[in-house]
Amino acid sequence: KVCYNGNIFYEFKEGKVKKMKKILCTLVLIISVVCVLVSCDISISPNFEAFTTLDRTSGITPEATTPEATTPEVTTSEVTTPEVTTPEVTTPEVTTPEVTTPEVTTPEVTTPEVTTPEVTTPEVTTPEVTTPEVTTPEVTTPEVTTPEVTTPEETTPEVTTPEETTPEVTTPEVTTPEVTTPEVTTPEVTTPEEIIITTPGLAYEVNADGETCTITGIGSCTESDISIGNYIDGYKITAIGDSAFQGCSNLTSITISDSVTTIGDRTFQVCYNLTSITIPDSVTTIGKYAFSGCPNLTSIVVDGNNTAYQSINGNLYSKDGTVLITYAMGKTDTSFAIPDSVTTIGDYAFVFCSNLTSVTIPDSVTTIGDSAFSSCSNLTSITIPDSVTTIDDYAFSSCSNLTSITISDSVTTIGYAAFYSCSNLTSVTIPDSVSTIGDSAFAWCSNLMSIVVDGNNTAYQSINGNLYSKDGTVLITYAIGKTDTSFAIPDSVTTISENAFYKCTHLTSVTIPDSVTTIGYAAFYSCDNLTSVTIPDSVTTISEWAFGYCSSLANVTIGDSVTSIGDRAFSGCSNLTRVTIPDSVTTIGDSAFYRCSALTSITIPDSVTTIGDSAFAWCSNLTSITIPDSVTTIGDSAFEFCSALTSITIPDFVTIIGDDAFYGCSALTSITIPDSVTTIGNDAFSVCYSLADVYYTGSEAEWAQITIGSNNSKLTNATIHYNYVPEE
């Protein structure tokens, strides 16, 4: 008896062959019948006289010769698997023949120890998983379970739970394991989003998530046709930032990918040559003024699938049509009727639409947004319907040809500078419904002769065509189209409002009563013919730009109660020759007397502690100035380009002389610096070509401790007089 590769062979000696042949023939006949019954096969070995084979793993006797197939030849005699010799045991050794299926491991059998040879699937070209009909024991055939697991009922040890004393080798429903070609789910190939290549050179910054970015500007890009694609340098583009392309005059067209969700404030504002733009369906947020001031923009197209916005006749609206966001200002139409669905005319919606001469506002509109019609220079008239309650800031500012306007009884609020600089507006009537009028609402309406307020209005009144608060304490707007040369403010007034007389060119004098305590921001700004003004003692504050650029103003008397002269309060008063500053003043603001080029001398009282930046800069005829000991700070550029100033004494308590403080004082020959000074700023004495002597009240050692900024060679090269004692 010989055991070979898990099969049992019976070999006979030559002397007994003839005798055995007869026996064998009989046995073959008997066995054949039995085999038919029990589905066994008997084969005559080509190498031996006779043998019988039992395949322990399958429960059937495989054919001696396997038909030629692409699978490895599974023949009992010549097995390509490494020879596994199991020690002789009473039970036929179970050795799994080499299976070319992807790692088929025979279930672990404890007795006898079955060592399944390591199956290394050599180039799994076989079993041909795609050929389901294979008669050979092809593992991929769904109907074949290595080869055909049909657990026959027989006395031979069945692989599937045989009833015998031998260790139960149960190949659990040997589905080997079922080698059904792993559903090769090739990664689902979904059509990717349309890829748009980003124009090189655009500036961007990475967002907080580290994976997306925001386009921030034109960068080094010189193209006029720009594509904002899906990605830039590996970062997904999700936003176009605030003012990213603002003022890009060369930009003619732009393509935006559907990765972008946000377009920021003023993103394409004042792009003069931009003619059209398409907004993809991905965009959910468009900031304020994004497309305002684009004079050649004729069409704004919105993808039909966008859920936030829509385009109607080339203009941009909210998806529900209630907000008119942007009118394409490059259109050549002279009139436009706003759709009845609109309730809000958005901020900057019609800004700079110079072709429009008339706009029809439907009864559905309740709000006219900031700067909605600003700078519509050819708009001649407009009727605001009864539905409107709010006219926002700058709504009709700089509509230079607007001659008349009708404000309905429903309006309650007129915003800041709403009709500012409507230079041809001659009159306006305010209904009784208006409860709030912002500062400068009618400022610089150079031909405005009369402001009429309905007598039933509880917040405002009109006196001689000028606008006041109902109680008469606030002078809001003087109708500057009046040709009167003088004006006396009523005694009831306590506050002169912001821009109240702004650019009133006819007035030469104004009388301010003792009742006034506050002169507002730019109240008399650029009143070019105003020659003198007396500020009464009742006034405590002179605000910024209060008398700025009153180019004919020669004399100013400031009352004793004023504590602060605001920034630029008298800036640009080029004919101001004399000003008296009272002892009550503690602060002279930045640029307070900037470019008062006719001012020759000024006395600063002992009460002043701070001289602001550029306070007397460019006072080119100022020859002398006295700075009191109370001053502790001299701001940057305080006396810059005072080219006639020859000498100056810095008071004892000053510690810092700011940057550019005396820059360009080309006539300055000497200066006295106290030992309290610790810092002299950059360029403080730059371009002081005539500076020869520096009188220092401290020692040479103390001078060496002063921090002197750059570009002060005129100071350091001058003669330093140490331990100087000023004359009493």
Side-chain angles (χ1 to χ4, degrees):
K1 183 175 66 174
V2 177
C3 178
Y4 179 75
N5 197 28
N7 299 314
I8 300 172
F9 301 84
Y10 291 88
E11 185 176 355
F12 302 90
K13 293 182 181 179
E14 290 181 8
K16 299 180 180 180
V17 170
K18 290 181 180 179
K19 185 177 181 179
M20 291 301 296
K21 276 185 178 179
K22 291 181 182 179
I23 298 170
L24 185 58
C25 287
T26 304
L27 286 172
V28 167
L29 182 59
I30 296 168
I31 293 171
S32 295
V33 174
V34 174
C35 286
V36 169
L37 297 174
V38 295
S39 299
C40 288
D41 292 327
I42 294 235
S43 302
I44 304 298
S45 172
N47 298 319
F48 304 98
E49 288 291 328
F51 69 89
T52 178
T53 305
L54 176 64
D55 185 340
R56 296 283 299 191
T57 61
S58 64
I60 62 171
T61 308
E63 273 180 35
T65 56
T66 309
E68 263 184 52
T70 53
T71 55
E73 208 173 1
V74 184
T75 57
T76 324
S77 54
E78 290 182 15
V79 181
T80 56
T81 54
E83 185 173 339
V84 179
T85 310
T86 311
E88 187 173 343
V89 289
T90 55
T91 330
E93 187 171 5
V94 178
T95 308
T96 308
E98 182 174 335
V99 179
T100 56
T101 59
E103 282 191 37
V104 179
T105 51
T106 308
E108 189 175 345
V109 180
T110 55
T111 315
E113 188 175 344
V114 178
T115 55
T116 307
E118 189 175 343
V119 178
T120 56
T121 315
E123 291 185 282
V124 182
T125 58
T126 55
E128 262 183 41
V129 180
T130 57
T131 315
E133 293 183 355
V134 180
T135 54
T136 53
E138 200 169 14
V139 184
T140 58
T141 313
E143 302 166 13
V144 179
T145 52
T146 323
E148 231 180 278
V149 182
T150 55
T151 317
E153 291 181 38
E154 58 174 40
T155 54
T156 50
E158 268 182 81
V159 176
T160 56
T161 322
E163 292 180 21
E164 57 177 50
T165 55
T166 54
E168 198 173 297
V169 182
T170 55
T171 314
E173 286 182 36
V174 179
T175 51
T176 317
E178 206 171 315
V179 180
T180 52
T181 314
E183 246 174 55
V184 179
T185 52
T186 36
E188 200 171 325
V189 181
T190 55
T191 308
E193 60 187 0
E194 182 187 359
I195 299 298
I196 296 175
I197 304 301
T198 302
T199 304
L202 296 180
Y204 69 92
E205 64 181 36
V206 179
N207 298 330
D209 61 11
E211 296 178 355
T212 62
C213 71
T214 297
I215 296 296
T216 57
I218 194 73
S220 60
C221 177
T222 57
E223 300 293 328
S224 58
D225 299 330
I226 288 176
S227 291
I228 296 176
N230 307 77
Y231 293 89
I232 186 169
D233 294 341
Y235 297 104
K236 188 172 185 177
I237 301 171
T238 57
I240 307 171
D242 295 348
S243 306
F245 297 94
Q246 186 181 38
C248 290
S249 56
N250 290 326
L251 185 63
T252 57
S253 70
I254 189 155
T255 301
I256 302 172
S257 75
D258 57 8
S259 65
V260 173
T261 59
T262 301
I263 297 173
D265 295 346
R266 300 182 175 85
T267 300
F268 299 98
Q269 190 180 44
V270 200
C271 288
Y272 291 108
N273 290 306
L274 186 63
T275 57
S276 67
I277 190 163
T278 299
I279 298 169
D281 58 0
S282 56
V283 171
T284 57
T285 302
I286 298 175
K288 290 183 177 181
Y289 333 128
F291 307 103
S292 66
C294 298
N296 289 300
L297 184 63
T298 56
S299 177
I300 301 170
V301 179
V302 180
D303 188 289
N305 294 319
N306 192 296
T307 59
Y309 304 99
Q310 65 168 316
S311 176
I312 302 175
N313 296 325
N315 302 315
L316 181 63
Y317 295 78
S318 60
K319 189 67 175 182
D320 61 5
T322 60
V323 182
L324 196 170
I325 299 168
T326 301
Y327 177 86
M329 64 174 291
K331 291 175 178 288
T332 55
D333 300 336
T334 57
S335 63
F336 179 69
I338 296 172
D340 291 337
S341 62
V342 173
T343 58
T344 299
I345 301 172
D347 298 345
Y348 283 66
F350 292 88
V351 70
F352 291 114
C353 289
S354 57
N355 291 320
L356 287 175
T357 58
S358 68
V359 174
T360 302
I361 302 174
D363 289 337
S364 57
V365 172
T366 59
T367 300
I368 300 173
D370 289 359
S371 304
F373 294 92
S374 181
S375 299
C376 289
S377 55
N378 286 309
L379 194 63
T380 56
S381 66
I382 196 156
T383 298
I384 298 171
D386 290 340
S387 55
V388 173
T389 58
T390 301
I391 302 172
D392 268 337
D393 301 347
Y394 295 98
F396 295 92
S397 65
S398 299
C399 289
S400 54
N401 278 307
L402 190 63
T403 56
S404 67
I405 189 162
T406 302
I407 301 173
S408 71
D409 289 339
S410 59
V411 173
T412 59
T413 301
I414 299 173
Y416 179 90
F419 297 93
Y420 172 89
S421 188
C422 288
S423 54
N424 279 306
L425 189 64
T426 57
S427 67
V428 64
T429 299
I430 298 170
D432 60 0
S433 58
V434 174
S435 57
T436 302
I437 299 175
D439 289 336
S440 308
F442 302 98
W444 201 17
C445 292
S446 53
N447 285 300
L448 186 61
M449 301 289 290
S450 175
I451 301 171
V452 178
V453 180
D454 188 291
N456 294 319
N457 191 295
T458 58
Y460 302 99
Q461 66 170 315
S462 176
I463 301 174
N464 297 324
N466 302 316
L467 181 63
Y468 294 79
S469 60
K470 188 67 175 182
D471 61 5
T473 60
V474 182
L475 196 170
I476 299 168
T477 301
Y478 177 85
I480 68 172
K482 294 173 180 285
T483 57
D484 300 336
T485 58
S486 63
F487 178 69
I489 296 172
D491 291 338
S492 63
V493 172
T494 59
T495 299
I496 301 171
S497 194
E498 176 178 326
N499 290 320
F501 293 86
Y502 186 93
K503 286 185 175 287
C504 183
T505 57
H506 297 293
L507 288 175
T508 59
S509 68
V510 173
T511 302
I512 302 173
D514 288 338
S515 58
V516 172
T517 58
T518 301
I519 299 173
Y521 178 93
F524 295 91
Y525 181 89
S526 198
C527 290
D528 291 341
N529 289 308
L530 191 63
T531 57
S532 66
V533 67
T534 297
I535 298 170
D537 291 342
S538 57
V539 173
T540 57
T541 301
I542 302 173
S543 299
E544 293 180 39
W545 291 110
F547 296 91
Y549 287 90
C550 290
S551 55
S552 296
L553 190 60
N555 297 304
V556 174
T557 300
I558 300 173
D560 289 338
S561 299
V562 173
T563 58
S564 175
I565 299 174
D567 296 346
R568 304 171 187 83
F570 297 93
S571 180
C573 292
S574 54
N575 278 307
L576 187 62
T577 58
R578 186 183 63 83
V579 62
T580 301
I581 300 174
D583 288 342
S584 56
V585 173
T586 58
T587 301
I588 299 173
D590 296 345
S591 303
F593 295 92
Y594 176 83
R595 285 191 179 274
C596 289
S597 53
L599 196 61
T600 57
S601 67
I602 193 165
T603 299
I604 299 173
D606 288 339
S607 56
V608 173
T609 58
T610 301
I611 298 174
D613 296 346
S614 302
F616 296 94
W618 290 89
C619 290
S620 54
N621 284 304
L622 189 63
T623 56
S624 66
I625 190 166
T626 301
I627 302 173
D629 287 342
S630 56
V631 173
T632 58
T633 302
I634 297 175
D636 296 345
S637 305
F639 297 93
E640 182 182 42
F641 285 108
C642 288
S643 53
L645 194 62
T646 57
S647 67
I648 195 165
T649 298
I650 308 292
D652 287 340
F653 296 102
V654 170
T655 58
I656 297 173
I657 299 174
D659 294 345
D660 303 295
F662 296 93
Y663 184 99
C665 292
S666 54
L668 189 64
T669 58
S670 67
I671 187 167
T672 301
I673 299 175
D675 57 8
S676 58
V677 171
T678 59
T679 302
I680 297 173
N682 298 329
D683 295 288
F685 293 92
S686 184
V687 199
C688 291
Y689 297 119
S690 301
L691 186 58
D693 296 290
V694 175
Y695 297 94
Y696 180 60
T697 60
S699 65
E700 185 174 358
E702 289 172 313
W703 176 263
Q705 296 302 311
I706 297 174
T707 300
I708 300 175
S710 60
N711 300 321
N712 281 302
S713 59
K714 299 303 178 186
L715 175 69
T716 55
N717 290 335
T719 301
I720 312 296
H721 303 274
Y722 302 109
N723 300 310
Y724 175 72
V725 178
E727 294 180 4
E728 292 294 331

